Every structure is written in structure tokens, then in C-alpha cells.
Amino acid sequence: MSFIDKIKNLIKPSVFEDVFVAELVAALSPERVRFDATERFLHSHDSSVFDEGNAGPICFPITTREVQTIMRISEKHGRSIVARGAGTGLAGGAIPLGAPVVVVMTKMNKILEIDIDNRVAWVEPGVINLDLSRYLQPFGFHFAPDPSSQQVCTIGGNVANNSGGPHCLAYGVTDAHVLALEIVLPDGEVATIGGLDPEPVGFDLRGAFIGSEGTLGIATKIAVRITKNPPTVRTLLLSFSSMRAAAETVSAVIAAGIVPAAMEVMDQRITIAVESFVGAGYPTDAAAVLLVEVEGLVDGVQIDASNIREIGFKHGATDVRVAETDNERELLWKGRKTAFGAIAQIAPDYYLHDTVVPRSALADVLEKVNEVAERYDLIVMNVFHAGDGNLHPLLLFDAREEGMLEKVHAAGAEIMRISLDAGGVLSGEHGIGIEKQAYMDELFTTEDLNHQNRLRYAFDPQCRSNPGKILPAGHSCADIQSLKNVPQGVWG
Amino acid sequence: MKATLKIDTVLNRFAEAVGPSLPIAIEGNRTRWGLNGLLKPGTSVISAPSGLVEYKPEEMIVTVRAGTTVQELDTCLADHRQRTSLPDRGGTVGGAIAVGHNDLHKLGKGSVRDAVLQLRYVSAEGKVITCGGPVVKNVTGFNLHKLMVGSFGTLGFIAEVTLRTNPTPLRQLWIQTSMDPKIIFDTLQRPSAILWDGTTTWVHLEGHPPDVDAQYALLTKSGKVYESETGPSLPAHRWSIPPVDIFSLEKTLMGRFVASIGVGTVWAEQPQEERKLDRATLTITERMKKQFDPTSRLNPGRNLGNWS
């Protein structure tokens, strides 16, 4: 189907829908409820490779009360809702299924309060991750989770996906940095879960909500922990003549009892692409490079850096370079974080995978991933959070080639199975969304999934919040019901 | 068979003991037995299995049965100079997680809820359920394992856990001073505990030896500081408040107290006033209990919401 056909297909007005949209418009404002075909087409996608989205009306609330109203109107009309931040998700978590109301949270983007004494910032969900850290810079603090998309992704999205990032190795992922949340439940009620105190009363509903990919409700205020900037940071760049040597160095560093702030590996292909993109001084002749950052007090940093250097050489490092200036360090990180953009030089499309394996299995798993890519005749590049065992194999392709997407999906499935066979899990930071639903029962039993569904029901008994995600079909009957609730012939 | 799907006979036997019907309660070493309601009299009581399942020091993860004591776990980890964030109060690993109280050194060790990577519990139907995953980073599915931390066995009985371990710092040191604890908190980079009783402040420093010495020296510049054998003795009741509230709270409500600065845990002679959930949170809480334990057979008498 052509692009234009797809847009045309979305236009199916109906009287019922007019009433529904009119109620939303009356509750918000005409310019903050959109339902033209172009907007709906745009909001039917996120940054994943999936194409089956179908957005209903799109709302841009600016207050908690408006989010409540959207929930209530949708409930009255038996419609589901999907919250959305910047749409940078890679697992299809924000793709609307069954023409739900798409609730775009990007206009709720205020930093509400910085409470240095309690080490907390209250933010709205649309605040961009990096904007918060920039805002905190003069105070000597930052927000620790730093996904590669941090220049555009929102903190609400980070909460939904329990996002990670290179520096989560030492600091932990989003869950460890969110203390409390104001959430609007699918029935329109507002709950405050978690707390600024260390052991809030009741179940840890905060912990249950974070990483639930929008299936439990919408966060409207978020209390995040802010982290003191370290007095000393040292960034090391180790070069290797084989990926195995780089991976074994990572395991050896952890085994030596050193937990660096970040440990990232890039293979030669990606290093070449990055280097021609940012010119950070990455060695293009190395089979793999390892970027390690240690931080803390000056003496400890010195000790850790020198130990890592020694471990690197012992495991076959051909060169170890230390970033001499802040500028040099920033360039190295810019290279790492823009790696995915640099790939456009090589192929028009990429499919970025995300699995986790035990750190000691990294070298073997990477070899198997390369074998898979070879067998499917695909270009694979590896750039990943090695310290956590979090792999990100990138499969490069041109979607215009006949049968290519199917081939890429088949190779991806094999990569997932290799990771599971090595004792790993399906996702380290991107989430399940619609991408990995079908593989959930390879990791969990039917009973396990049934229990995950019970957690879901407690927040959203009608399963109207982002239906059709995470749990495979068959484990979530209400989702199926919710997806069927759209009047026939309406919204495509 | 994938790592998460392996359920051995020990776990299956425990699940059989829990069974699918009749009220039943679980006990560890009863170190926090009186919290969140008293057990309904006449309820039969069982214990979780104990013992180390697997320890991979090079991966910094350890799997133990819930009935293992924290002390046994600590002893095993100490051989590899590692530790977890679980507090040792004479209790079991399962008990520490079911209660969810953090260690005194939370600033250095992290919180209990962040330590749990994978968890297996026996459900109200008597089945073994696995949640989380056996690696250090994971967003595969719903965070049931987070929900279980601090749930006092009211949703399921914890049977086995995989925990994150961390290197034990090479040097640890308690110091004592009369300096303002707020200034200490702002001055130090990463103390593992700052405890204050209204007059005296105890600070626990840890890390690379030269770092500990440097932090110690930094404090001596601002006031008199003494090395101390241990921290202060702690009153019996535990409060949980936003960290800075300790400076404005009416202390007569507490009696003698020791506050963890920067954390918000306070040990006091008097108990904290009952903390309430908002209406919507209470509704989710009650639905949660109904979903996981529809007949309220697990730990009857313990109550985190308002269920009957």
C-alpha cells in the first residue's frame, strides 16, 4: 500500500465519532484535539519498524484535570487510550492499536520544583530528559538515566519504558531514580504512588507502574531523584584486535570488583561510521573499542582507571587512551550517543535489537549473532552497554528490497533465542511493546504471564490503557475486548 | 529450557506445602513479626526453603532460597568481598524482602527494592511464579518482583530470589562529630550513612582507602571529628519521612531518635502515626490483593490496605 493510500484509508468519518471528538474538543480546545488524516498517520507510528498503528483522535492535554477528562470521555465511549511522549520508542509501545485516543504528553513539559535538600525534582512527563540535566547543572546535580535519545525523549517516556542508558551501569535504570508519581488511572481517578520518604506505606505501586509501557495509566507528575555530579570523571578508550578480547575485558573488569559508571563497546563497522560522522578520534583500525568511564573522588578514580588499563592490556588491548580534556571526553560520548544516526551513511533502514545476557556470555553470544547476520546476508553492527550485558545488534537493510523486512525479522528472532539460550532476557531497556510479545512465553510460563496480567487488572480492570501490548494475545482477554470496542467502519 | 523456567523439586515441594486452599502464613525468623497487623490466631505457619542456589561472583549476582538467613548470605558473599543491600537484623532473606526495610547504610549500599533481580513466589493457588529475570538489567514484562518487595507476604510467599551483589568497599570507617549533619551531607561526596540524634552526628565513610582518608580530612577542616567503633544504638520504632522533614518535625513526638540524614528513615522511641493511602491508591491496593489472593488466605491478619 502506498503512503497516500494509507492516509486515505484512515479517513472514515462517522456520526458517532463526531460526537466523541466534539466532547474531547469541548473539554480541551479545538487546537489541542486533532483528527485530520496527516496527524493520525504521524501518531500511528513511533521509532520502531512496525507499521500497523491506527490512531484515533489525538489530544494534547496541558493539565492533570484534562487528562482525567480525556480518560472519562474515552471510558464513556468505550474507547481505549494510548499515552505518548516523543515517540522515540523502538519496540512499538506507543503504536496505537484499535484506533484509541492518542494522548500526547509533550505539552505538559514544566519542571515544577527543584528540591535540592531532598534531592528531588518534580517534573511533568513531557520534560525532555537532557533538559532536566541541563537545568540542574548550575546546582551541581543531574538526572542519571541517559538513554541515547536523551536530547529528545521525555521523562514520561523514560518512566513508561524504565529507560536505561550508558551511565545506568553504576547508577541503575529509571526505576532507581523515580520516587513518586501522580498518575491518572483509566477511570479518570488520580492516585499518588510512591513517596519522597524512603519506605512509603503500602505496596510498591510505583515500582509496578514504572516500565509498564503505558498499560496502567498516565503519569502526570513525576518526582525524580537528582544525583550529585561527581568531582572527578575519567574516560578511557581501549582498542582491541578482536571483539572477543573486548568482551572478555568487560567481564574481567566486573569480576575484579570494579563497577565503572559506564562500559560501552563498539565494533569496527560502527566505529568507522561514527568517526566519519563526529571525528572524535576513535581508532578505525581496531576490531572493537571499549569506552569506559570511572567517576568519584580523585584517588579512587585514579586507582580504578589504572586497574582497568592493566586488565585491558592483560586481555589483549592494543592501545589505551585517556581523554585529556572535557572536550575530548564529550566528543567520545557524542560519538557513542549518535552512533545510530551515523548509520544512515551505510543503509537507509536499521533494526535495533535489545537483549541482555550474562556478562560472561557476551563474547560467545556476539559470535553467534554475527553468524546469524552472515547466514541471512545482512550487515550487523554492534554498539552496546557491555557492562550490563545489554546487547544492541543493529541489522542494516533497505526496506525497499522485496522480502527484506521478513528476513530482518527472522534474523531478529534468532538473535532473541540466542540471548535466551545464554540465560538472558528479551529486553534490557527498550521494552516489549508489540515487538517481543510473541516471545514472552519463551521466558515465562502461562501462569507467570497470568500473574503479570493480574497486576495490570488491578490498575486497569477494563484494559483500556494501551491495549494489545506486552503480554501475548491469549494472556490478556480484556485487551482483545478493548481492541474490538471501536465501532465498525470508524477510524479505518 | 530457559533459565527462568527451571523450577526444581525444592520449590515444588514448598508450593505443595502452601497448597491451594485454607488460610496459611509464612514466617522467617520473626524479627519484624508485629508489623502491619497480627496474624489471625489458629493459622498454620510454614517457612520457605533455605540454602544457596547459585553464586556467580564474576556476574555480581546470587540466587538463594528465601529461608536462608541474611547472615549466611553475607558470609558466603564475604569470601568474594561482595555484599547486597539487604539489612542483617537476624532475619531471613525472604523476610528482609517481604518487609522491604533498607539497611542503615542505604546511601552506600542502595535500597532493598533495587537489589531484587528475579523472584519466585508461591501463589495463593499453590503455584510457583517467576518474575523479573536473572540478569542485572531487564525490562521484560511487568515488574511483579518490585510489587513483592515490602508486600509482607500478602500477595504470594517468596520462595527464591536472585539478588544484585556489589563489591564491598576496601575501607570502612565510622566517625563521630557534633557538626551540623546538613553541612556534612552537602560536603561529602558519597557517605554510606549519616546518623544524627539531635546533638551528635555519626558518619560512615567507605571506599578506596585514600578516598576515605580524603573525606575524613575534609571534615576535620570544618570541625572536630573522632573515629568511632560503631554507630549509635537505634531506638525500636521506624519512621519513614521525606529526608529534610527531620529538621522541622516536633521531636517530642519521637522521644529519643536517630535520623538517617539524606534518607528519611528515623528510629524513634515512639511509633510513627499511621500513614494513609489516598482513595485511588487504596482502590488499586485492594484490587491487587483480590487479584492475587481472592480468598485472603495468605498471611491473614496482615493488611496493607483495608481488605477484610
Side-chain angles (χ1 to χ4, degrees), chain A residues 339-361:
Chain A
F340 304 132
I343 286 153
Q345 305 165 78
I346 301 160
D349 303 289
Y350 67 77
Y351 188 178
L352 176 60
H353 279 272
D354 166 47
T355 65
V356 184
V357 299
R359 299 177 264 218
S360 53

Side-chain angles (χ1 to χ4, degrees), chain A residues 65-81:
Chain A
R65 192 168 284 273
E66 285 188 351
V67 177
Q68 288 181 274
T69 309
I70 294 167
M71 291 293 206
R72 290 193 172 123
I73 295 173
S74 306
E75 186 180 37
K76 191 173 103 186
H77 289 267
R79 295 288 288 274
S80 51
I81 62 100

Side-chain angles (χ1 to χ4, degrees), chain A residues 117-119 161-162 164-165 168 173 175-176 178-179 183 185 187 189-193 196-208 210-213 215-216 225 228-231 251 254-255 257-259 297-301 303-304 354 356-361 385 387-388 390 417 420-421 423-432 440-445 447-448 451-452 454-461 470-471, chain B residues 2-5 36 56-61 82 89 100-103 106 111 113-114 121 123-125 127-144 146-152 154-155 164 166-167 182 184-190 208-212 214-215 238-245 262-265 275-281 283-289 291-294 304 307:
Chain A
D117 288 339
N118 274 319
R119 305 286 197 261
N161 288 295
N162 197 10
C168 289
V173 295
D175 175 66
V178 173
L179 301 172
I183 59 169
L185 294 166
D187 63 6
E189 289 288 305
V190 175
T192 301
I193 53 178
L196 303 190
D197 58 319
E199 290 148 10
V201 64
F203 294 134
D204 185 12
L205 300 177
R206 175 211 62 89
I210 297 164
S212 62
E213 303 191 33
T215 59
L216 305 183
R225 185 192 303 286
K228 218 179 200 179
N229 293 343
S251 296
I254 297 290
I258 304 169
V259 183
L297 294 163
V298 63
D299 293 317
V301 165
I303 293 168
D304 283 345
D354 166 47
V356 184
V357 299
R359 299 177 264 218
S360 53
H385 311 308
D388 297 312
N390 189 183
R417 294 218 166 83
L420 294 183
D421 286 341
V425 294
L426 289 171
S427 176
E429 54 183 13
H430 295 174
I432 301 302
M440 284 289 277
D441 52 12
E442 297 198 20
L443 196 62
F444 295 110
T445 66
E447 276 299 318
D448 298 341
H451 273 235
Q452 294 194 22
R454 294 181 192 198
L455 183 157
R456 166 90 194 281
Y457 273 113
F459 282 83
D460 181 14
I470 305 182
L471 296 173
Chain B
K2 306 297 182 285
T4 51
L5 300 178
N36 280 317
K56 296 187 200 161
E58 72 288 356
E59 288 287 333
M60 290 193 191
I61 59 171
Q82 291 187 0
R89 300 194 190 105
H101 286 169
N102 295 309
D103 188 78
K106 176 181 178 284
S111 60
R113 69 190 187 199
D114 293 336
Y121 61 92
S123 70
E125 295 84 20
K127 291 191 171 140
V128 180
I129 305 295
T130 302
C131 50
V135 286
V136 293
K137 193 176 182 187
N138 178 21
V139 295
T140 310
F142 288 94
N143 284 333
L144 265 179
K146 295 279 175 190
L147 189 65
M148 291 294 153
V149 179
S151 65
F152 282 82
T154 59
L155 300 176
R164 182 195 299 280
N166 274 302
K182 262 199 273 191
I184 296 174
F185 184 54
D186 289 337
T187 306
L188 296 177
Q189 183 58 28
R190 221 175 160 183
H208 284 294
D211 285 349
V212 171
Q215 295 270 286
R238 191 179 182 96
W239 293 42
S240 176
I241 58 174
V244 290
D245 285 10
V263 176
T265 303
R275 293 175 290 162
K276 299 248 190 261
L277 298 171
D278 64 43
R279 192 185 56 178
T281 308
T283 305
I284 308 170
T285 302
E286 282 160 14
R287 277 196 216 128
M288 199 68 85
K289 175 67 176 174
Q291 283 294 329
F292 285 85
D293 182 19
L304 276 75
W307 58 72

Side-chain angles (χ1 to χ4, degrees), chain A residues 378-436:
Chain A
L378 292 165
I379 299 175
V380 65
M381 293 188 168
N382 283 294
V383 44
F384 57 99
H385 311 308
D388 297 312
N390 189 183
L391 294 178
H392 282 328
L394 273 153
L395 299 175
L396 273 61
F397 62 99
D398 185 342
R400 292 167 298 188
E401 281 179 39
E402 184 85 19
M404 184 50 96
L405 211 52
E406 290 74 18
K407 204 159 96 169
V408 167
H409 280 298
E414 286 201 33
I415 291 172
M416 269 186 261
R417 294 218 166 83
I418 290 166
S419 302
L420 294 183
D421 286 341
V425 294
L426 289 171
S427 176
E429 54 183 13
H430 295 174
I432 301 302
I434 51 178
E435 182 194 15
K436 292 176 176 169

Side-chain angles (χ1 to χ4, degrees), chain A residues 288-301:
Chain A
V289 296
L290 170 62
L291 191 61
V292 186
E293 192 152 277
V294 280
E295 55 182 47
L297 294 163
V298 63
D299 293 317
V301 165

Side-chain angles (χ1 to χ4, degrees), chain A residues 5-339:
Chain A
D5 286 341
K6 275 180 191 166
I7 291 185
K8 277 186 186 159
N9 233 23
L10 290 168
I11 311 167
K12 296 244 176 89
S14 101
V15 177
F16 302 109
E17 209 59 18
D18 286 349
V19 175
F20 180 43
V21 172
E23 282 184 41
L24 291 170
V25 170
L28 274 71
S29 71
E31 70 278 9
R32 290 191 289 107
V33 180
R34 298 179 194 160
F35 45 96
D36 60 283
T38 311
E39 286 279 358
R40 289 185 46 229
F41 180 79
L42 286 174
H43 289 95
S44 294
H45 295 82
D46 60 8
S47 302
S48 68
V49 295
F50 301 98
D51 212 12
E52 58 252 51
N54 181 14
I58 300 133
C59 295
F60 296 80
I62 52 173
T63 62
T64 301
R65 192 168 284 273
E66 285 188 351
V67 177
Q68 288 181 274
T69 309
I70 294 167
M71 291 293 206
R72 290 193 172 123
I73 295 173
S74 306
E75 186 180 37
K76 191 173 103 186
H77 289 267
R79 295 288 288 274
S80 51
I81 62 100
V82 174
R84 181 185 176 94
T88 55
L90 292 158
I95 287 185
L97 299 176
V101 178
V102 177
V103 188
V104 185
M105 300 304 290
T106 50
K107 289 192 193 295
M108 288 182 72
N109 59 358
K110 286 193 283 296
I111 294 170
L112 300 169
E113 187 191 348
I114 303 289
D115 178 355
I116 296 289
D117 288 339
N118 274 319
R119 305 286 197 261
V120 171
W122 276 99
V123 301
E124 290 187 327
V127 170
I128 288 171
N129 174 299
L130 190 59
D131 285 356
L132 177 60
S133 284
R134 283 193 180 135
Y135 189 87
L136 291 168
Q137 181 62 33
F139 303 96
F141 287 84
H142 68 286
F143 178 52
D146 62 337
S148 292
S149 55
Q150 73 179 138
Q151 294 186 40
V152 285
C153 68
T154 63
I155 293 176
N158 297 165
V159 167
N161 288 295
N162 197 10
S163 303
H167 288 83
C168 289
L169 176 57
Y171 289 108
V173 295
T174 299
D175 175 66
H177 302 276
V178 173
L179 301 172
L181 297 146
E182 176 192 86
I183 59 169
V184 178
L185 294 166
D187 63 6
E189 289 288 305
V190 175
T192 301
I193 53 178
L196 303 190
D197 58 319
E199 290 148 10
V201 64
F203 294 134
D204 185 12
L205 300 177
R206 175 211 62 89
F209 188 90
I210 297 164
S212 62
E213 303 191 33
T215 59
L216 305 183
I218 298 182
T220 43
K221 281 184 195 139
I222 305 163
V224 299
R225 185 192 303 286
I226 58 176
T227 303
K228 218 179 200 179
N229 293 343
T232 313
V233 180
R234 190 149 306 172
T235 307
L236 292 89
L237 182 66
L238 294 83
S239 309
F240 296 89
S241 55
S242 77
M243 179 56 91
R244 178 164 282 278
E248 284 173 354
T249 301
V250 170
S251 296
V253 168
I254 297 290
I258 304 169
V259 183
M263 257 203 298
E264 303 282 306
V265 166
M266 297 199 289
D267 68 15
Q268 186 168 20
R269 279 190 182 128
I270 196 101
T271 305
I272 291 169
V274 161
E275 188 54 24
S276 69
F277 191 56
V278 295
Y282 278 111
T284 50
D285 56 346
V289 296
L290 170 62
L291 191 61
V292 186
E293 192 152 277
V294 280
E295 55 182 47
L297 294 163
V298 63
D299 293 317
V301 165
Q302 183 62 43
I303 293 168
D304 283 345
S306 118
N307 287 340
I308 290 166
R309 187 186 159 86
E310 205 174 293
I311 292 168
F313 280 129
K314 204 172 144 192
H315 287 83
T318 51
D319 183 42
V320 179
R321 197 181 107 197
V322 179
E324 297 293 338
T325 63
D326 281 351
N327 186 41
E328 196 180 345
R329 176 181 167 262
E330 276 163 24
L331 261 180
L332 286 173
W333 277 111
K334 189 180 173 194
R336 165 61 188 89
K337 291 201 174 179
T338 54

Side-chain angles (χ1 to χ4, degrees), chain B residues 31-157:
Chain B
T31 56
R32 297 289 180 273
W33 193 246
L35 297 175
N36 280 317
L38 292 172
L39 188 66
K40 225 181 210 169
T43 310
S44 62
V45 179
I46 56 164
S47 301
S50 64
L52 179 80
V53 178
E54 193 178 29
Y55 176 29
K56 296 187 200 161
E58 72 288 356
E59 288 287 333
M60 290 193 191
I61 59 171
V62 64
T63 302
V64 286
R65 313 282 193 201
T68 316
T69 64
V70 176
Q71 192 188 13
E72 285 170 288
L73 172 65
D74 287 350
T75 307
C76 161
L77 300 181
D79 289 343
H80 292 269
R81 283 204 70 85
Q82 291 187 0
R83 64 182 188 183
T84 70
S85 63
L86 266 51
D88 181 12
R89 300 194 190 105
T92 62
V93 169
I97 293 166
V99 170
H101 286 169
N102 295 309
D103 188 78
L104 179 70
H105 302 88
K106 176 181 178 284
L107 289 174
K109 287 182 164 184
S111 60
V112 170
R113 69 190 187 199
D114 293 336
V116 179
L117 301 173
Q118 180 176 281
L119 188 144
R120 287 197 159 112
Y121 61 92
V122 175
S123 70
E125 295 84 20
K127 291 191 171 140
V128 180
I129 305 295
T130 302
C131 50
V135 286
V136 293
K137 193 176 182 187
N138 178 21
V139 295
T140 310
F142 288 94
N143 284 333
L144 265 179
H145 58 300
K146 295 279 175 190
L147 189 65
M148 291 294 153
V149 179
S151 65
F152 282 82
T154 59
L155 300 176
F157 289 171

